Amino acid sequence: MPTAKQMAYMTIKHEILEGQFPPGHLLIEPKLAEQCGVSRTPVREALRDLADEGLVQLRSNRRAVVPIVTETRFEEVFDIMSMLESYSAGLSATRIDSEKIAEIEDINDRLEYCMNHDRAEGYREFLDLNSQFHKAIHTATENDTLMDVLFRVIDFPTSVCLKFGQINWEGSSNVANEHRDIISSLKTRDQELATLNMKKHIETVRRSFRALWKDEV
């Protein structure tokens, strides 16, 4: 049975991902507590966890909002992701074991199936599987400090998709192939290649999202 904090976390996250709490929405603790059927303390804890994932922004006045993604923030966060995820992939190549590689391959297989069979309704599942893929790689570094920083930005693409309500599927068509390239370099324990493959992948994703910005203009 989930704890009160887990119930609040799952409820709030679901509402954000389903667009019921759109970008800019003010998350008011008493209302959330009533909606989730819990007290304010687990709601506050859940909001902190969601802030760590980038799905909630905690302001200096202690108010929480669903963040508004600007083009400037988009570029800033992808700069960070490009640097840190590529470094992390390279580090993982030196430390990952066969069991973790098998787990990552399974995630990517499910992601590819989602892309090929459920584009109309499955973009949220795609985002979840993509997040799992990247987190599994970074967990293999066994570097808690690196993971703490990375996990604060790793789900940023989800926030971008929420802004536009879609994925640029055409621009994302090569994601699964690029993932396989990353997996291949992890299998061969090639640190330099893993670093390069991840950097290439992040920049592909960045270009894909840039197309959505252009369409909005």
PDB file of all heavy atoms in Angstrom, residues 100-126:
ATOM      1  N   LYS A 100      22.980  -4.881 -16.030  1.00  0.00           N
ATOM      2  CA  LYS A 100      22.459  -3.537 -16.264  1.00  0.00           C
ATOM      3  C   LYS A 100      22.305  -3.274 -17.766  1.00  0.00           C
ATOM      4  O   LYS A 100      21.326  -2.647 -18.193  1.00  0.00           O
ATOM      5  CB  LYS A 100      23.385  -2.498 -15.630  1.00  0.00           C
ATOM      6  CG  LYS A 100      22.980  -1.045 -15.873  1.00  0.00           C
ATOM      7  CD  LYS A 100      21.620  -0.733 -15.254  1.00  0.00           C
ATOM      8  CE  LYS A 100      21.712  -0.604 -13.754  1.00  0.00           C
ATOM      9  NZ  LYS A 100      20.443  -0.091 -13.154  1.00  0.00           N
ATOM     10  N   ILE A 101      23.230  -3.759 -18.558  1.00  0.00           N
ATOM     11  CA  ILE A 101      23.118  -3.601 -20.013  1.00  0.00           C
ATOM     12  C   ILE A 101      21.865  -4.291 -20.530  1.00  0.00           C
ATOM     13  O   ILE A 101      21.142  -3.758 -21.379  1.00  0.00           O
ATOM     14  CB  ILE A 101      24.377  -4.135 -20.721  1.00  0.00           C
ATOM     15  CG1 ILE A 101      25.575  -3.216 -20.424  1.00  0.00           C
ATOM     16  CG2 ILE A 101      24.148  -4.232 -22.229  1.00  0.00           C
ATOM     17  CD1 ILE A 101      26.895  -3.724 -20.975  1.00  0.00           C
ATOM     18  N   ALA A 102      21.586  -5.490 -20.017  1.00  0.00           N
ATOM     19  CA  ALA A 102      20.380  -6.221 -20.432  1.00  0.00           C
ATOM     20  C   ALA A 102      19.126  -5.433 -20.059  1.00  0.00           C
ATOM     21  O   ALA A 102      18.151  -5.390 -20.830  1.00  0.00           O
ATOM     22  CB  ALA A 102      20.357  -7.600 -19.784  1.00  0.00           C
ATOM     23  N   GLU A 103      19.136  -4.817 -18.890  1.00  0.00           N
ATOM     24  CA  GLU A 103      17.999  -3.989 -18.461  1.00  0.00           C
ATOM     25  C   GLU A 103      17.799  -2.813 -19.415  1.00  0.00           C
ATOM     26  O   GLU A 103      16.665  -2.501 -19.818  1.00  0.00           O
ATOM     27  CB  GLU A 103      18.249  -3.471 -17.041  1.00  0.00           C
ATOM     28  CG  GLU A 103      17.198  -2.492 -16.544  1.00  0.00           C
ATOM     29  CD  GLU A 103      17.605  -1.814 -15.247  1.00  0.00           C
ATOM     30  OE1 GLU A 103      18.475  -2.352 -14.523  1.00  0.00           O
ATOM     31  OE2 GLU A 103      17.062  -0.718 -14.946  1.00  0.00           O
ATOM     32  N   ILE A 104      18.890  -2.165 -19.800  1.00  0.00           N
ATOM     33  CA  ILE A 104      18.821  -1.012 -20.701  1.00  0.00           C
ATOM     34  C   ILE A 104      18.326  -1.439 -22.081  1.00  0.00           C
ATOM     35  O   ILE A 104      17.529  -0.737 -22.715  1.00  0.00           O
ATOM     36  CB  ILE A 104      20.210  -0.338 -20.792  1.00  0.00           C
ATOM     37  CG1 ILE A 104      20.566   0.293 -19.440  1.00  0.00           C
ATOM     38  CG2 ILE A 104      20.248   0.713 -21.895  1.00  0.00           C
ATOM     39  CD1 ILE A 104      22.012   0.736 -19.331  1.00  0.00           C
ATOM     40  N   GLU A 105      18.785  -2.598 -22.555  1.00  0.00           N
ATOM     41  CA  GLU A 105      18.317  -3.105 -23.851  1.00  0.00           C
ATOM     42  C   GLU A 105      16.818  -3.376 -23.829  1.00  0.00           C
ATOM     43  O   GLU A 105      16.099  -3.071 -24.798  1.00  0.00           O
ATOM     44  CB  GLU A 105      19.073  -4.377 -24.226  1.00  0.00           C
ATOM     45  CG  GLU A 105      20.497  -4.126 -24.689  1.00  0.00           C
ATOM     46  CD  GLU A 105      21.176  -5.399 -25.157  1.00  0.00           C
ATOM     47  OE1 GLU A 105      21.232  -6.365 -24.370  1.00  0.00           O
ATOM     48  OE2 GLU A 105      21.645  -5.426 -26.309  1.00  0.00           O
ATOM     49  N   ASP A 106      16.326  -3.925 -22.738  1.00  0.00           N
ATOM     50  CA  ASP A 106      14.898  -4.216 -22.620  1.00  0.00           C
ATOM     51  C   ASP A 106      14.071  -2.925 -22.654  1.00  0.00           C
ATOM     52  O   ASP A 106      13.033  -2.855 -23.328  1.00  0.00           O
ATOM     53  CB  ASP A 106      14.628  -4.973 -21.323  1.00  0.00           C
ATOM     54  CG  ASP A 106      13.141  -5.232 -21.102  1.00  0.00           C
ATOM     55  OD1 ASP A 106      12.561  -6.008 -21.876  1.00  0.00           O
ATOM     56  OD2 ASP A 106      12.578  -4.635 -20.158  1.00  0.00           O
ATOM     57  N   ILE A 107      14.540  -1.905 -21.954  1.00  0.00           N
ATOM     58  CA  ILE A 107      13.845  -0.614 -21.957  1.00  0.00           C
ATOM     59  C   ILE A 107      13.798  -0.049 -23.373  1.00  0.00           C
ATOM     60  O   ILE A 107      12.760   0.441 -23.831  1.00  0.00           O
ATOM     61  CB  ILE A 107      14.544   0.378 -21.005  1.00  0.00           C
ATOM     62  CG1 ILE A 107      14.420  -0.077 -19.551  1.00  0.00           C
ATOM     63  CG2 ILE A 107      13.944   1.783 -21.168  1.00  0.00           C
ATOM     64  CD1 ILE A 107      15.278   0.707 -18.582  1.00  0.00           C
ATOM     65  N   ASN A 108      14.913  -0.132 -24.075  1.00  0.00           N
ATOM     66  CA  ASN A 108      14.958   0.427 -25.420  1.00  0.00           C
ATOM     67  C   ASN A 108      14.069  -0.358 -26.387  1.00  0.00           C
ATOM     68  O   ASN A 108      13.465   0.232 -27.290  1.00  0.00           O
ATOM     69  CB  ASN A 108      16.395   0.454 -25.939  1.00  0.00           C
ATOM     70  CG  ASN A 108      16.551   1.348 -27.156  1.00  0.00           C
ATOM     71  OD1 ASN A 108      16.136   2.504 -27.141  1.00  0.00           O
ATOM     72  ND2 ASN A 108      17.148   0.835 -28.213  1.00  0.00           N
ATOM     73  N   ASP A 109      13.972  -1.668 -26.201  1.00  0.00           N
ATOM     74  CA  ASP A 109      13.074  -2.471 -27.039  1.00  0.00           C
ATOM     75  C   ASP A 109      11.624  -2.019 -26.853  1.00  0.00           C
ATOM     76  O   ASP A 109      10.862  -1.902 -27.825  1.00  0.00           O
ATOM     77  CB  ASP A 109      13.203  -3.956 -26.693  1.00  0.00           C
ATOM     78  CG  ASP A 109      14.498  -4.571 -27.189  1.00  0.00           C
ATOM     79  OD1 ASP A 109      15.159  -3.953 -28.054  1.00  0.00           O
ATOM     80  OD2 ASP A 109      14.862  -5.659 -26.702  1.00  0.00           O
ATOM     81  N   ARG A 110      11.242  -1.775 -25.605  1.00  0.00           N
ATOM     82  CA  ARG A 110       9.879  -1.326 -25.327  1.00  0.00           C
ATOM     83  C   ARG A 110       9.637   0.076 -25.864  1.00  0.00           C
ATOM     84  O   ARG A 110       8.550   0.389 -26.364  1.00  0.00           O
ATOM     85  CB  ARG A 110       9.596  -1.386 -23.823  1.00  0.00           C
ATOM     86  CG  ARG A 110       9.432  -2.809 -23.310  1.00  0.00           C
ATOM     87  CD  ARG A 110       9.041  -2.845 -21.853  1.00  0.00           C
ATOM     88  NE  ARG A 110      10.181  -2.577 -20.990  1.00  0.00           N
ATOM     89  CZ  ARG A 110      10.137  -1.829 -19.892  1.00  0.00           C
ATOM     90  NH1 ARG A 110       9.005  -1.222 -19.550  1.00  0.00           N
ATOM     91  NH2 ARG A 110      11.198  -1.663 -19.150  1.00  0.00           N
ATOM     92  N   LEU A 111      10.661   0.917 -25.781  1.00  0.00           N
ATOM     93  CA  LEU A 111      10.555   2.271 -26.324  1.00  0.00           C
ATOM     94  C   LEU A 111      10.361   2.233 -27.835  1.00  0.00           C
ATOM     95  O   LEU A 111       9.518   2.959 -28.382  1.00  0.00           O
ATOM     96  CB  LEU A 111      11.812   3.066 -25.958  1.00  0.00           C
ATOM     97  CG  LEU A 111      11.902   4.519 -26.426  1.00  0.00           C
ATOM     98  CD1 LEU A 111      12.662   5.358 -25.393  1.00  0.00           C
ATOM     99  CD2 LEU A 111      12.615   4.625 -27.774  1.00  0.00           C
ATOM    100  N   GLU A 112      11.114   1.376 -28.504  1.00  0.00           N
ATOM    101  CA  GLU A 112      11.010   1.270 -29.953  1.00  0.00           C
ATOM    102  C   GLU A 112       9.630   0.756 -30.358  1.00  0.00           C
ATOM    103  O   GLU A 112       9.046   1.226 -31.347  1.00  0.00           O
ATOM    104  CB  GLU A 112      12.099   0.355 -30.497  1.00  0.00           C
ATOM    105  CG  GLU A 112      12.185   0.346 -32.013  1.00  0.00           C
ATOM    106  CD  GLU A 112      13.435  -0.339 -32.528  1.00  0.00           C
ATOM    107  OE1 GLU A 112      14.092  -1.051 -31.736  1.00  0.00           O
ATOM    108  OE2 GLU A 112      13.754  -0.152 -33.713  1.00  0.00           O
ATOM    109  N   TYR A 113       9.101  -0.207 -29.614  1.00  0.00           N
ATOM    110  CA  TYR A 113       7.760  -0.717 -29.914  1.00  0.00           C
ATOM    111  C   TYR A 113       6.728   0.402 -29.769  1.00  0.00           C
ATOM    112  O   TYR A 113       5.815   0.543 -30.603  1.00  0.00           O
ATOM    113  CB  TYR A 113       7.414  -1.865 -28.961  1.00  0.00           C
ATOM    114  CG  TYR A 113       6.051  -2.459 -29.229  1.00  0.00           C
ATOM    115  CD1 TYR A 113       5.886  -3.483 -30.159  1.00  0.00           C
ATOM    116  CD2 TYR A 113       4.927  -1.975 -28.562  1.00  0.00           C
ATOM    117  CE1 TYR A 113       4.637  -4.018 -30.426  1.00  0.00           C
ATOM    118  CE2 TYR A 113       3.670  -2.499 -28.823  1.00  0.00           C
ATOM    119  CZ  TYR A 113       3.528  -3.516 -29.748  1.00  0.00           C
ATOM    120  OH  TYR A 113       2.288  -4.040 -30.015  1.00  0.00           O
ATOM    121  N   CYS A 114       6.876   1.203 -28.720  1.00  0.00           N
ATOM    122  CA  CYS A 114       5.964   2.326 -28.491  1.00  0.00           C
ATOM    123  C   CYS A 114       6.011   3.306 -29.660  1.00  0.00           C
ATOM    124  O   CYS A 114       4.966   3.779 -30.130  1.00  0.00           O
ATOM    125  CB  CYS A 114       6.338   3.027 -27.188  1.00  0.00           C
ATOM    126  SG  CYS A 114       5.351   4.483 -26.807  1.00  0.00           S
ATOM    127  N   MET A 115       7.207   3.591 -30.148  1.00  0.00           N
ATOM    128  CA  MET A 115       7.361   4.524 -31.263  1.00  0.00           C
ATOM    129  C   MET A 115       6.698   3.991 -32.532  1.00  0.00           C
ATOM    130  O   MET A 115       6.109   4.751 -33.300  1.00  0.00           O
ATOM    131  CB  MET A 115       8.846   4.770 -31.551  1.00  0.00           C
ATOM    132  CG  MET A 115       9.562   5.589 -30.508  1.00  0.00           C
ATOM    133  SD  MET A 115      11.272   5.887 -30.993  1.00  0.00           S
ATOM    134  CE  MET A 115      11.042   6.939 -32.431  1.00  0.00           C
ATOM    135  N   ASN A 116       6.781   2.696 -32.740  1.00  0.00           N
ATOM    136  CA  ASN A 116       6.304   2.106 -33.991  1.00  0.00           C
ATOM    137  C   ASN A 116       4.825   1.732 -33.987  1.00  0.00           C
ATOM    138  O   ASN A 116       4.226   1.557 -35.054  1.00  0.00           O
ATOM    139  CB  ASN A 116       7.129   0.857 -34.321  1.00  0.00           C
ATOM    140  CG  ASN A 116       8.570   1.195 -34.653  1.00  0.00           C
ATOM    141  OD1 ASN A 116       8.864   2.283 -35.122  1.00  0.00           O
ATOM    142  ND2 ASN A 116       9.472   0.258 -34.385  1.00  0.00           N
ATOM    143  N   HIS A 117       4.226   1.603 -32.798  1.00  0.00           N
ATOM    144  CA  HIS A 117       2.866   1.085 -32.739  1.00  0.00           C
ATOM    145  C   HIS A 117       1.866   1.972 -32.002  1.00  0.00           C
ATOM    146  O   HIS A 117       0.661   1.725 -32.086  1.00  0.00           O
ATOM    147  CB  HIS A 117       2.858  -0.298 -32.062  1.00  0.00           C
ATOM    148  CG  HIS A 117       3.604  -1.339 -32.820  1.00  0.00           C
ATOM    149  ND1 HIS A 117       4.959  -1.537 -32.654  1.00  0.00           N
ATOM    150  CD2 HIS A 117       3.199  -2.230 -33.765  1.00  0.00           C
ATOM    151  CE1 HIS A 117       5.355  -2.515 -33.457  1.00  0.00           C
ATOM    152  NE2 HIS A 117       4.321  -2.952 -34.138  1.00  0.00           N
ATOM    153  N   ASP A 118       2.322   2.973 -31.284  1.00  0.00           N
ATOM    154  CA  ASP A 118       1.383   3.723 -30.452  1.00  0.00           C
ATOM    155  C   ASP A 118       1.704   5.208 -30.422  1.00  0.00           C
ATOM    156  O   ASP A 118       1.674   5.838 -29.372  1.00  0.00           O
ATOM    157  CB  ASP A 118       1.390   3.151 -29.021  1.00  0.00           C
ATOM    158  CG  ASP A 118       0.174   3.587 -28.223  1.00  0.00           C
ATOM    159  OD1 ASP A 118      -0.818   4.006 -28.845  1.00  0.00           O
ATOM    160  OD2 ASP A 118       0.227   3.517 -26.981  1.00  0.00           O
ATOM    161  N   ARG A 119       1.991   5.786 -31.561  1.00  0.00           N
ATOM    162  CA  ARG A 119       2.360   7.195 -31.587  1.00  0.00           C
ATOM    163  C   ARG A 119       1.202   8.115 -31.210  1.00  0.00           C
ATOM    164  O   ARG A 119       1.402   9.140 -30.574  1.00  0.00           O
ATOM    165  CB  ARG A 119       2.874   7.580 -32.980  1.00  0.00           C
ATOM    166  CG  ARG A 119       4.258   7.040 -33.279  1.00  0.00           C
ATOM    167  CD  ARG A 119       4.835   7.710 -34.508  1.00  0.00           C
ATOM    168  NE  ARG A 119       6.190   7.260 -34.774  1.00  0.00           N
ATOM    169  CZ  ARG A 119       6.991   7.837 -35.663  1.00  0.00           C
ATOM    170  NH1 ARG A 119       6.550   8.851 -36.380  1.00  0.00           N
ATOM    171  NH2 ARG A 119       8.212   7.387 -35.852  1.00  0.00           N
ATOM    172  N   ALA A 120       0.010   7.744 -31.611  1.00  0.00           N
ATOM    173  CA  ALA A 120      -1.130   8.633 -31.405  1.00  0.00           C
ATOM    174  C   ALA A 120      -1.396   8.881 -29.923  1.00  0.00           C
ATOM    175  O   ALA A 120      -1.684  10.001 -29.510  1.00  0.00           O
ATOM    176  CB  ALA A 120      -2.368   8.046 -32.075  1.00  0.00           C
ATOM    177  N   GLU A 121      -1.300   7.829 -29.113  1.00  0.00           N
ATOM    178  CA  GLU A 121      -1.648   7.954 -27.699  1.00  0.00           C
ATOM    179  C   GLU A 121      -0.472   7.706 -26.766  1.00  0.00           C
ATOM    180  O   GLU A 121      -0.593   7.917 -25.563  1.00  0.00           O
ATOM    181  CB  GLU A 121      -2.772   6.949 -27.355  1.00  0.00           C
ATOM    182  CG  GLU A 121      -4.049   7.140 -28.162  1.00  0.00           C
ATOM    183  CD  GLU A 121      -4.737   8.453 -27.848  1.00  0.00           C
ATOM    184  OE1 GLU A 121      -4.539   8.978 -26.740  1.00  0.00           O
ATOM    185  OE2 GLU A 121      -5.473   8.951 -28.725  1.00  0.00           O
ATOM    186  N   GLY A 122       0.657   7.282 -27.326  1.00  0.00           N
ATOM    187  CA  GLY A 122       1.708   6.766 -26.467  1.00  0.00           C
ATOM    188  C   GLY A 122       2.874   7.681 -26.175  1.00  0.00           C
ATOM    189  O   GLY A 122       3.911   7.208 -25.731  1.00  0.00           O
ATOM    190  N   TYR A 123       2.732   8.994 -26.406  1.00  0.00           N
ATOM    191  CA  TYR A 123       3.924   9.813 -26.225  1.00  0.00           C
ATOM    192  C   TYR A 123       4.316   9.934 -24.755  1.00  0.00           C
ATOM    193  O   TYR A 123       5.490  10.062 -24.434  1.00  0.00           O
ATOM    194  CB  TYR A 123       3.755  11.187 -26.891  1.00  0.00           C
ATOM    195  CG  TYR A 123       3.157  12.293 -26.078  1.00  0.00           C
ATOM    196  CD1 TYR A 123       3.959  13.088 -25.253  1.00  0.00           C
ATOM    197  CD2 TYR A 123       1.808  12.603 -26.158  1.00  0.00           C
ATOM    198  CE1 TYR A 123       3.418  14.128 -24.526  1.00  0.00           C
ATOM    199  CE2 TYR A 123       1.272  13.642 -25.446  1.00  0.00           C
ATOM    200  CZ  TYR A 123       2.074  14.408 -24.627  1.00  0.00           C
ATOM    201  OH  TYR A 123       1.543  15.446 -23.910  1.00  0.00           O
ATOM    202  N   ARG A 124       3.350   9.825 -23.847  1.00  0.00           N
ATOM    203  CA  ARG A 124       3.708   9.869 -22.422  1.00  0.00           C
ATOM    204  C   ARG A 124       4.453   8.602 -22.017  1.00  0.00           C
ATOM    205  O   ARG A 124       5.382   8.644 -21.215  1.00  0.00           O
ATOM    206  CB  ARG A 124       2.451  10.074 -21.572  1.00  0.00           C
ATOM    207  CG  ARG A 124       1.848  11.472 -21.732  1.00  0.00           C
ATOM    208  CD  ARG A 124       0.632  11.651 -20.829  1.00  0.00           C
ATOM    209  NE  ARG A 124       0.087  12.989 -20.953  1.00  0.00           N
ATOM    210  CZ  ARG A 124      -0.786  13.361 -21.881  1.00  0.00           C
ATOM    211  NH1 ARG A 124      -1.204  12.473 -22.776  1.00  0.00           N
ATOM    212  NH2 ARG A 124      -1.259  14.592 -21.927  1.00  0.00           N
ATOM    213  N   GLU A 125       4.029   7.452 -22.575  1.00  0.00           N
ATOM    214  CA  GLU A 125       4.769   6.206 -22.308  1.00  0.00           C
ATOM    215  C   GLU A 125       6.172   6.298 -22.901  1.00  0.00           C
ATOM    216  O   GLU A 125       7.147   5.851 -22.283  1.00  0.00           O
ATOM    217  CB  GLU A 125       4.032   5.015 -22.899  1.00  0.00           C
ATOM    218  CG  GLU A 125       4.735   3.682 -22.623  1.00  0.00           C
ATOM    219  CD  GLU A 125       4.031   2.495 -23.245  1.00  0.00           C
ATOM    220  OE1 GLU A 125       3.002   2.698 -23.918  1.00  0.00           O
ATOM    221  OE2 GLU A 125       4.524   1.365 -23.070  1.00  0.00           O
ATOM    222  N   PHE A 126       6.285   6.877 -24.086  1.00  0.00           N
ATOM    223  CA  PHE A 126       7.588   7.074 -24.713  1.00  0.00           C
ATOM    224  C   PHE A 126       8.490   7.901 -23.805  1.00  0.00           C
ATOM    225  O   PHE A 126       9.662   7.575 -23.592  1.00  0.00           O
ATOM    226  CB  PHE A 126       7.417   7.763 -26.067  1.00  0.00           C
ATOM    227  CG  PHE A 126       8.706   8.229 -26.691  1.00  0.00           C
ATOM    228  CD1 PHE A 126       9.472   7.378 -27.465  1.00  0.00           C
ATOM    229  CD2 PHE A 126       9.149   9.534 -26.493  1.00  0.00           C
ATOM    230  CE1 PHE A 126      10.663   7.806 -28.043  1.00  0.00           C
ATOM    231  CE2 PHE A 126      10.333   9.970 -27.057  1.00  0.00           C
ATOM    232  CZ  PHE A 126      11.091   9.112 -27.835  1.00  0.00           C
TER     233      PHE A 126
END
